[in-house]
Amino acid sequence: MAKVFFSSWNGNVLDERKKIYDERIDLKQLELPPDIEGANIKALVGWSGLVIVDPEVNIVNALQEYFNNVQKESCGRCIPCRVGSKAIADRLEKIISGHGNEEDLDQLEGLASLVHDGSLCELGISSPLPLLHALEYFRKDFEVFLNNTPTEKTNDHYRAILTAPCRNGCPAHINIPAYIEAISEGDYAQALAVNREKTPFVGTLGRVCVHPCESNCNRQPVDQALSIRLLKRFAADYGLRNGYDQKTAKNKVQAKKEKIAIIGAGPAGINAAYQLARKGYKVTVFEALPVAGGMLAVGIPSYRLPRDILNYEIDLVRNLGVDIQCNTRVGEDISLEQIREEGYKAIFIASGLHKSSNMGCRGEDECYMGFMPGVEFLRMLNLGEKINLGETVSVIGGGNVAMDCARSAVRLGVKEVNLIYRRTKHEMPANAAEVKAAEEEGIIFHLLANPVCILDDGGVVSGMECIKMALGEPDESGRRRPVPLDGSEFVLKADTVIPAIGQVADFNFITEDCGLETTKWGTLVADPLTMATGVPGIFAGGDAVLGARTVIEAIATANRAAEAIDNYLSSGKCFIGENAVMEKFIEKTGVYKEETVPEMVGSRIRLEEEIAPVEDRLAGFDEADLGFKYQAEVIKEAERCVKCLRLGLAVL
Amino acid sequence: MNNTISLNIDGKRVFVDRGTTILEAARQNDIYIPTLCYHPRLEPLGHCRMCVVEIEGMQRPVTSCDNPAEDGMVVTTRNDRLVKMREKILELALSTHPYKDCLTCVRTGSCELQEQAYYYQACLPEQLERDIAPGLTEDNPHIIRDDEKCILCGRCIQACRMLAGRSVYDLVGSGVNTRVAPVHNNEEVSLEEAGCIFCGQCVDVCPVAALTEVGRRGEGREWELKRFEGICNECSLNCHLERCSSGENLIRVTVPRDGDKTAWLCEKGHFGFKEVMAQHKNNKPLKYDGHGYKEIDYQKAVSETGAKIKELIDSGKTENFAVLASGNLSNEESFLLQKMARSVIGTEKFNLGAEKFWVKALCLSMKVTGLGIPGPLPSDINEADGITVIGSGLEESHPVAAMAIQKAARFGRAAVVRIGDCTNNEESWEQVALDLGGNSLVKLFEVMKKVIENPQQDYKEELPGVSIGQLKKAIEVITADNNITVVAPSFFADCDDETVAELINLLTSGGVLEKGRSRVMLLSAFGNACGVLLTGGANWYGPGLIKSNSEEIYDQQSIISEIENGKIEVLLVFGDGFKDLVLPKNLYGITVASSIDQAPLGTKLFFPAQPLPYKRGYYTNSSGRTRVNRTISSETKLMSEDWRLITDIAATIGSRWSYKAIEDVRLEMKSVTPAE
């Protein structure tokens, strides 16, 4: 049980030094994990203070290491951080080497205050805090070094991580502050390049990402979050219009001899292919559907994600030499065994969830005509198949897929589209903007309602019996459980019923003897860090492992898997790099805290994107949201960024 | 919401417009806040942190340069904490700056860092160890870079992007080893390889000696240099500039320090003066004596010139005399020369530097807008929502216009339409390259006008090969309220009456030209084409745009043809643009140029021309704005002026002019040319 010796984290000073060991507070109470991959944390030096677990830790050395890292990360724009952190690091070095004196400690305090008061961004503002706290509470540790011969070398290990609330909130940890800064300085090419480090799907994410980054933006209490998603979209669209990808020099990479197979050309599969091809591997992707893109191609409608944008980004991956074989269903056209026999040294399973979940409602298994699970409906629509929905449609669900189904139905000319959801609008998991757009497009919302039975007329759907709900006690997700109100049944006419309440996997290619385990929810078991399954050489990611989640989470798993596969093939050991480990570690502590939001002067209005008028939207499947247009305004929006860079150092 | 807000700075209540930054509010009210990275021509950077102030209710000091003042704000600009901060920041800056070089540094006495260090009596710290290679980078003929002195204010990076529309510089490295370097494709390269066009904006904004001009070192202390306002005449934009001289020597040319916030200069304007001065090799008149050129006394040369011309007049062969000038004559010179030709010699056979079709376009446009309505400036391009470019080659002919377009397209709001030239050089959000598709320009203009007047009609058949979607987009841009149309000289070089007329019709129907307003830049290949035209030097019109009564119209080409056909016996040439002209043996050519090398082959008599830095004169740019060029020479040492040469020649032919000073010429010009 890790106990806190001292903590000044998050503005609360907990000085447990005087207490005996057993009476000290658990590390868990600070919401900090006790170890990183098994190595115990001795101390944490970070942006909101110090946390000391092991009293023997050499805090002065740790601070020197911390400031060396600040220097490495300092962008160089402002004098206090750029020069001040070097002055601090030099002085700490002087003290550690035994040449320091009392005056140096006073100088340190002065420098730390200046860097804190004067720096441009949070890196400079926050990094002196642990030093100031150490000087206040652990001055003796410094004095030990003064005018003394240097003590023996410490055997502490250090792991540093640069993060920011937005970056931390992003599952893939895209370097958001860097690309926003690039845009604010007019360097759109750099903004695109920063994103491309993590994914080819920049324009795609710029349109469909659920942007957890924005929910972590420090501007929220002051005015509104930065429009991070749309800035990303701007970088991609601008780059597309001006041929940035064709202009950038290609990095020369040595071709590796191993070849890797990927099952599923969805966001996880393509992203993994992208990263592995960039490392020099020969990659083949097996895709069951006639098109590549997974749910991006057959789930999300084209008015949200134009196909030319998606295909342009998939082509970038093809141009790296990745072979995407469509119309090849693993389990039918080729088996897992055959893939192994063909010499693929590693396999990444990213087959997604393409089957619709059951509603638990009478009549759904009767195969009535007009009963169309949402996933199927969208797939048919996006593959260009003819669909006749009739005059009235009922969509069940409250997530983005349900919105996609409803909004696609109106565009197909359906006169009346009803949306049935068992909780209230506030609890709908769909993006608020989607819900608003759906309302504008004339979709009728039936909230706090649930279907009971599908009604038919000779095997053809004629309507739905529903029941009104009321909200009861919260369930495990924290949301209040809906409870049916007896006697409140009502009937909705419908020519087509489209359930869109969830998705499940189709793992018919996984045989009993292949050794892969599944969870009770029907997803594959894989290590959360390396994405390795129980079978050596087989990795898995995306919805197939996480359950029905988002594109950016799929991409995050793909990036980790690609790293792990690379390490596995070159060393035989399955692991991900230190940086990725640290990023996952910081995820647990969380970086965004409303109490530690930086001070800001005045509020600035967030730039809104242009949205096509409702009549134009309903006319077809042209893009509905038009993004940002003028560079001058985009630069102003990017300038709202406060640059909340934070540096953390774990002492192990 | 009220547009005026009030705030309290150091106990003083001040009123400013909403949106003003705290720093600007202080400066407007004579309250001093020190800065290092702030520059009035750039957006605030917030890099140096010297301008920190305390705001009541906030724990940390904030930078005043990039935070807007708010109604009711209480600001303190000076107290112990802030002064201590600024002193410490300076100390840190000095610990990464080789201040021991101050003794002989180019910027000593005018260096912004040195100024702050003096003001705060900064203590001089030891240098921190950095991984920055000492020494200068001198990989081009104009700009010297010194990485050690750079204080990373960021002005040059922003200036290159936001003023020149380029993106040459980037930050490389981290911490104290961060440097500003020219970067291309993620690699550090030379300035030229990074796409630098040597406009020199970065040098102008550098606060220290990290960026300096070649040739500046040791050429005089900054405060000893005299500054003279002037204009550039390398192209018809006539950009404002400032010449700095030490005694009679021209040391440097920069953008004007005060005045227009967005000042522009290109390589020719900023650094071209060295080449120009080098070209003026001969400073005495020369005469060809059969074998070579020998120096000759000025009076003798003038007399001989006059004699040759008088010979023609007396023998009734004035049609064998012609005058050519390359469009760099000042307004006064053009006025006098055409007066001499018309009233003293009695001929219309002259063209002092204006293309026929450019003149036609300008006059037709003035019929729409009315006389004296100026056209747009490069700074107007900045604010444009749409820019239409007709013709090609702006990067070479009018680099500042190209820069302005680049900047508006990359960082502003502009959509760019290019008609006829489909090489898209600048990036922008929206660009249309309207390919003619084999159709003529006339036809395109005609159809565009029709579409503007009747958007519903289908014109696909009239313009086969042109995408109607592109056409509609182009029209959207042209008719935007905030559109600027730029017509490059290449359009006028290959033109005819009909095309010019259709262009003006199109611009009128698109709202680019209307009574009292012109949003078109008609760019001439000649530097002072507009001034020449207004003073009667383009022989279709007299001074003040009075239509000439003469039946004969001469443009430069027709006069050159007559020369080549042997019809001309005496030719007077002004300017450097004719060095490829070969004069027949029987022709007596008198040339006024920078050196004999720039004179046409076969010149018999040569007069050295006044270099522009030493010339007093008015020039009118292609947007109709008249600007003054002041001489850097002291009154007493004024070299023989070109306008005097003209009056002297005229005197030997028998004119009875009496211009005691150049002001007399100007007075007479004022009475005949239209008010500007």
Side-chain angles (χ1 to χ4, degrees), chain A residues 589-625:
Chain A
T589 71
V591 183
Y592 174 65
K593 297 259 181 300
E594 235 186 83
E595 311 84 53
T596 54
V597 161
E599 275 186 319
M600 292 174 227
V601 181
S603 65
R604 301 184 193 188
I605 304 175
R606 167 174 156 138
L607 184 64
E608 296 298 337
E609 66 173 324
E610 214 185 301
I611 301 190
V614 182
E615 321 85 63
D616 290 356
R617 276 143 57 182
L618 292 177
F621 283 78
D622 280 346
E623 194 163 10
D625 299 334

Short mmCIF file of all heavy atoms in Angstrom, two decimals, chain A residues 589-625:
data_model
loop_
_atom_site.label_atom_id
_atom_site.label_comp_id
_atom_site.label_asym_id
_atom_site.label_seq_id
_atom_site.Cartn_x
_atom_site.Cartn_y
_atom_site.Cartn_z
N THR A 589 -4.48 10.09 -14.00
CA THR A 589 -4.51 11.19 -13.03
C THR A 589 -5.44 12.28 -13.51
O THR A 589 -5.98 13.03 -12.72
CB THR A 589 -3.12 11.83 -12.84
OG1 THR A 589 -2.81 12.56 -14.03
CG2 THR A 589 -2.05 10.81 -12.60
N GLY A 590 -5.60 12.42 -14.80
CA GLY A 590 -6.44 13.50 -15.32
C GLY A 590 -5.70 14.83 -15.18
O GLY A 590 -4.96 15.05 -14.23
N VAL A 591 -5.84 15.67 -16.17
CA VAL A 591 -5.11 16.94 -16.13
C VAL A 591 -6.06 18.12 -15.96
O VAL A 591 -5.72 19.12 -15.38
CB VAL A 591 -4.28 17.10 -17.43
CG1 VAL A 591 -3.46 18.36 -17.39
CG2 VAL A 591 -3.34 15.90 -17.59
N TYR A 592 -7.28 17.99 -16.45
CA TYR A 592 -8.21 19.12 -16.40
C TYR A 592 -8.90 19.16 -15.05
O TYR A 592 -9.57 18.23 -14.65
CB TYR A 592 -9.27 18.99 -17.50
CG TYR A 592 -10.34 20.05 -17.42
CD1 TYR A 592 -10.01 21.39 -17.61
CD2 TYR A 592 -11.65 19.73 -17.15
CE1 TYR A 592 -10.99 22.37 -17.53
CE2 TYR A 592 -12.63 20.71 -17.08
CZ TYR A 592 -12.29 22.03 -17.27
OH TYR A 592 -13.24 23.00 -17.20
N LYS A 593 -8.66 20.24 -14.35
CA LYS A 593 -9.36 20.42 -13.08
C LYS A 593 -9.85 21.86 -13.05
O LYS A 593 -9.06 22.79 -13.26
CB LYS A 593 -8.39 20.21 -11.89
CG LYS A 593 -7.80 18.83 -11.77
CD LYS A 593 -8.52 18.02 -10.69
CE LYS A 593 -7.92 16.63 -10.52
NZ LYS A 593 -7.95 15.82 -11.72
N GLU A 594 -11.13 22.03 -12.80
CA GLU A 594 -11.66 23.38 -12.86
C GLU A 594 -10.98 24.33 -11.88
O GLU A 594 -10.90 25.52 -12.12
CB GLU A 594 -13.17 23.38 -12.61
CG GLU A 594 -13.91 24.05 -13.75
CD GLU A 594 -15.39 24.21 -13.53
OE1 GLU A 594 -15.77 25.20 -12.86
OE2 GLU A 594 -16.14 23.36 -14.01
N GLU A 595 -10.48 23.77 -10.77
CA GLU A 595 -9.85 24.65 -9.77
C GLU A 595 -8.50 25.17 -10.25
O GLU A 595 -8.02 26.18 -9.78
CB GLU A 595 -9.61 23.92 -8.44
CG GLU A 595 -10.79 23.15 -7.91
CD GLU A 595 -10.90 21.76 -8.54
OE1 GLU A 595 -9.91 21.00 -8.50
OE2 GLU A 595 -11.97 21.47 -9.07
N THR A 596 -7.85 24.43 -11.15
CA THR A 596 -6.52 24.86 -11.55
C THR A 596 -6.51 25.44 -12.96
O THR A 596 -5.50 25.43 -13.64
CB THR A 596 -5.51 23.68 -11.49
OG1 THR A 596 -6.06 22.61 -12.27
CG2 THR A 596 -5.32 23.23 -10.07
N VAL A 597 -7.65 25.97 -13.41
CA VAL A 597 -7.70 26.62 -14.71
C VAL A 597 -6.88 27.90 -14.65
O VAL A 597 -7.01 28.66 -13.70
CB VAL A 597 -9.18 26.92 -15.05
CG1 VAL A 597 -9.29 27.97 -16.11
CG2 VAL A 597 -9.88 25.65 -15.47
N PRO A 598 -6.03 28.16 -15.63
CA PRO A 598 -5.19 29.36 -15.55
C PRO A 598 -6.04 30.64 -15.61
O PRO A 598 -7.13 30.64 -16.17
CB PRO A 598 -4.30 29.27 -16.79
CG PRO A 598 -4.60 28.01 -17.47
CD PRO A 598 -5.75 27.35 -16.82
N GLU A 599 -5.46 31.71 -15.06
CA GLU A 599 -6.14 33.01 -15.11
C GLU A 599 -6.16 33.51 -16.54
O GLU A 599 -5.16 33.39 -17.24
CB GLU A 599 -5.34 34.02 -14.27
CG GLU A 599 -5.65 34.01 -12.80
CD GLU A 599 -4.94 35.14 -12.09
OE1 GLU A 599 -3.76 35.41 -12.41
OE2 GLU A 599 -5.56 35.77 -11.24
N MET A 600 -7.25 34.08 -16.94
CA MET A 600 -7.31 34.64 -18.29
C MET A 600 -7.91 36.03 -18.24
O MET A 600 -8.74 36.31 -17.38
CB MET A 600 -8.17 33.76 -19.20
CG MET A 600 -7.53 32.42 -19.47
SD MET A 600 -8.66 31.37 -20.38
CE MET A 600 -8.50 29.86 -19.45
N VAL A 601 -7.49 36.86 -19.18
CA VAL A 601 -8.02 38.21 -19.21
C VAL A 601 -9.21 38.24 -20.15
O VAL A 601 -9.09 37.95 -21.32
CB VAL A 601 -6.98 39.21 -19.76
CG1 VAL A 601 -7.56 40.61 -19.75
CG2 VAL A 601 -5.72 39.16 -18.94
N GLY A 602 -10.36 38.56 -19.65
CA GLY A 602 -11.50 38.76 -20.52
C GLY A 602 -11.95 37.51 -21.22
O GLY A 602 -11.25 36.50 -21.24
N SER A 603 -13.12 37.57 -21.81
CA SER A 603 -13.59 36.38 -22.52
C SER A 603 -13.60 36.68 -24.01
O SER A 603 -13.77 37.81 -24.43
CB SER A 603 -14.98 36.00 -22.04
OG SER A 603 -15.90 37.01 -22.39
N ARG A 604 -13.37 35.66 -24.80
CA ARG A 604 -13.35 35.81 -26.25
C ARG A 604 -14.33 34.82 -26.85
O ARG A 604 -14.35 33.66 -26.47
CB ARG A 604 -11.94 35.54 -26.79
CG ARG A 604 -10.93 36.49 -26.18
CD ARG A 604 -9.58 36.29 -26.77
NE ARG A 604 -8.57 36.98 -25.95
CZ ARG A 604 -7.31 37.12 -26.28
NH1 ARG A 604 -6.86 36.62 -27.41
NH2 ARG A 604 -6.47 37.75 -25.50
N ILE A 605 -15.08 35.30 -27.81
CA ILE A 605 -16.13 34.45 -28.37
C ILE A 605 -15.54 33.37 -29.24
O ILE A 605 -14.62 33.60 -30.03
CB ILE A 605 -17.09 35.31 -29.23
CG1 ILE A 605 -17.65 36.44 -28.37
CG2 ILE A 605 -18.23 34.46 -29.77
CD1 ILE A 605 -18.50 37.39 -29.15
N ARG A 606 -16.07 32.17 -29.14
CA ARG A 606 -15.62 31.04 -29.95
C ARG A 606 -16.14 31.20 -31.36
O ARG A 606 -17.27 31.59 -31.58
CB ARG A 606 -16.14 29.77 -29.31
CG ARG A 606 -16.05 28.52 -30.16
CD ARG A 606 -16.47 27.35 -29.33
NE ARG A 606 -16.96 26.25 -30.10
CZ ARG A 606 -16.65 24.99 -29.85
NH1 ARG A 606 -15.86 24.69 -28.84
NH2 ARG A 606 -17.14 24.02 -30.59
N LEU A 607 -15.29 30.87 -32.33
CA LEU A 607 -15.69 30.95 -33.73
C LEU A 607 -16.63 29.80 -34.05
O LEU A 607 -16.37 28.65 -33.70
CB LEU A 607 -14.44 30.86 -34.62
CG LEU A 607 -14.65 31.02 -36.12
CD1 LEU A 607 -15.16 32.41 -36.45
CD2 LEU A 607 -13.33 30.76 -36.85
N GLU A 608 -17.74 30.09 -34.70
CA GLU A 608 -18.67 29.04 -35.09
C GLU A 608 -18.51 28.74 -36.56
O GLU A 608 -18.19 29.60 -37.35
CB GLU A 608 -20.12 29.50 -34.82
CG GLU A 608 -20.43 29.74 -33.35
CD GLU A 608 -20.29 28.49 -32.49
OE1 GLU A 608 -20.37 27.36 -33.03
OE2 GLU A 608 -20.09 28.65 -31.27
N GLU A 609 -18.79 27.49 -36.92
CA GLU A 609 -18.65 27.14 -38.34
C GLU A 609 -19.92 27.50 -39.09
O GLU A 609 -20.96 27.73 -38.51
CB GLU A 609 -18.39 25.63 -38.48
CG GLU A 609 -19.56 24.77 -38.05
CD GLU A 609 -19.36 23.30 -38.34
OE1 GLU A 609 -18.75 22.98 -39.38
OE2 GLU A 609 -19.82 22.48 -37.54
N GLU A 610 -19.76 27.49 -40.41
CA GLU A 610 -20.91 27.78 -41.26
C GLU A 610 -21.69 26.48 -41.42
O GLU A 610 -21.11 25.42 -41.64
CB GLU A 610 -20.38 28.20 -42.63
CG GLU A 610 -21.20 29.22 -43.33
CD GLU A 610 -20.64 29.47 -44.72
OE1 GLU A 610 -19.47 29.87 -44.79
OE2 GLU A 610 -21.35 29.24 -45.70
N ILE A 611 -23.01 26.56 -41.32
CA ILE A 611 -23.84 25.35 -41.50
C ILE A 611 -24.80 25.62 -42.64
O ILE A 611 -25.40 26.70 -42.71
CB ILE A 611 -24.61 25.02 -40.21
CG1 ILE A 611 -23.61 24.79 -39.08
CG2 ILE A 611 -25.47 23.78 -40.40
CD1 ILE A 611 -24.21 24.24 -37.82
N ALA A 612 -24.93 24.66 -43.54
CA ALA A 612 -25.82 24.85 -44.69
C ALA A 612 -27.26 25.03 -44.20
O ALA A 612 -27.66 24.44 -43.20
CB ALA A 612 -25.73 23.64 -45.61
N PRO A 613 -28.05 25.87 -44.90
CA PRO A 613 -29.45 26.06 -44.49
C PRO A 613 -30.24 24.76 -44.62
O PRO A 613 -29.90 23.88 -45.41
CB PRO A 613 -29.99 27.09 -45.48
CG PRO A 613 -28.95 27.31 -46.48
CD PRO A 613 -27.69 26.67 -46.05
N VAL A 614 -31.30 24.63 -43.82
CA VAL A 614 -32.02 23.36 -43.73
C VAL A 614 -32.52 22.87 -45.09
O VAL A 614 -32.40 21.68 -45.40
CB VAL A 614 -33.21 23.48 -42.74
CG1 VAL A 614 -33.91 22.15 -42.61
CG2 VAL A 614 -32.71 23.93 -41.39
N GLU A 615 -33.05 23.80 -45.92
CA GLU A 615 -33.58 23.33 -47.22
C GLU A 615 -32.48 22.69 -48.05
O GLU A 615 -32.69 21.68 -48.72
CB GLU A 615 -34.18 24.47 -48.05
CG GLU A 615 -34.97 25.52 -47.31
CD GLU A 615 -34.06 26.59 -46.75
OE1 GLU A 615 -33.39 27.29 -47.54
OE2 GLU A 615 -34.02 26.70 -45.52
N ASP A 616 -31.27 23.31 -48.04
CA ASP A 616 -30.18 22.73 -48.82
C ASP A 616 -29.80 21.36 -48.26
O ASP A 616 -29.47 20.44 -49.01
CB ASP A 616 -28.94 23.64 -48.76
CG ASP A 616 -29.17 24.92 -49.53
OD1 ASP A 616 -30.22 25.06 -50.16
OD2 ASP A 616 -28.26 25.79 -49.50
N ARG A 617 -29.84 21.24 -46.92
CA ARG A 617 -29.44 19.97 -46.32
C ARG A 617 -30.40 18.86 -46.73
O ARG A 617 -29.99 17.76 -47.08
CB ARG A 617 -29.43 20.10 -44.79
CG ARG A 617 -28.15 20.68 -44.26
CD ARG A 617 -28.33 21.59 -43.08
NE ARG A 617 -28.99 21.01 -41.93
CZ ARG A 617 -29.25 21.68 -40.82
NH1 ARG A 617 -28.90 22.95 -40.74
NH2 ARG A 617 -29.86 21.11 -39.81
N LEU A 618 -31.69 19.17 -46.68
CA LEU A 618 -32.67 18.12 -46.93
C LEU A 618 -32.71 17.72 -48.39
O LEU A 618 -33.23 16.65 -48.72
CB LEU A 618 -34.06 18.60 -46.48
CG LEU A 618 -34.19 18.77 -44.97
CD1 LEU A 618 -35.55 19.31 -44.62
CD2 LEU A 618 -33.97 17.43 -44.28
N ALA A 619 -32.14 18.53 -49.26
CA ALA A 619 -32.21 18.23 -50.69
C ALA A 619 -31.38 17.01 -51.05
O ALA A 619 -31.58 16.41 -52.10
CB ALA A 619 -31.73 19.43 -51.48
N GLY A 620 -30.45 16.63 -50.23
CA GLY A 620 -29.63 15.48 -50.60
C GLY A 620 -28.61 15.19 -49.53
O GLY A 620 -28.77 15.57 -48.37
N PHE A 621 -27.53 14.53 -49.94
CA PHE A 621 -26.53 14.11 -48.98
C PHE A 621 -25.26 14.95 -49.05
O PHE A 621 -24.20 14.50 -48.64
CB PHE A 621 -26.22 12.62 -49.19
CG PHE A 621 -27.28 11.74 -48.62
CD1 PHE A 621 -28.48 11.55 -49.29
CD2 PHE A 621 -27.11 11.13 -47.38
CE1 PHE A 621 -29.48 10.75 -48.76
CE2 PHE A 621 -28.11 10.33 -46.84
CZ PHE A 621 -29.30 10.14 -47.52
N ASP A 622 -25.38 16.20 -49.55
CA ASP A 622 -24.21 17.07 -49.56
C ASP A 622 -23.83 17.42 -48.13
O ASP A 622 -24.67 17.43 -47.24
CB ASP A 622 -24.52 18.37 -50.31
CG ASP A 622 -24.42 18.16 -51.81
OD1 ASP A 622 -23.87 17.12 -52.22
OD2 ASP A 622 -24.91 19.02 -52.54
N GLU A 623 -22.57 17.78 -47.96
CA GLU A 623 -22.08 18.06 -46.62
C GLU A 623 -22.92 19.15 -45.94
O GLU A 623 -23.20 20.18 -46.52
CB GLU A 623 -20.62 18.51 -46.70
CG GLU A 623 -19.96 18.50 -45.35
CD GLU A 623 -18.45 18.53 -45.41
OE1 GLU A 623 -17.91 18.76 -46.50
OE2 GLU A 623 -17.84 18.35 -44.35
N ALA A 624 -23.34 18.86 -44.71
CA ALA A 624 -24.21 19.80 -43.98
C ALA A 624 -23.42 20.85 -43.22
O ALA A 624 -23.78 22.01 -43.19
CB ALA A 624 -25.09 19.02 -43.01
N ASP A 625 -22.34 20.45 -42.57
CA ASP A 625 -21.53 21.39 -41.80
C ASP A 625 -20.36 21.81 -42.65
O ASP A 625 -19.63 20.98 -43.16
CB ASP A 625 -21.02 20.73 -40.51
CG ASP A 625 -22.16 20.29 -39.62
OD1 ASP A 625 -23.24 20.88 -39.73
OD2 ASP A 625 -21.97 19.35 -38.85
#
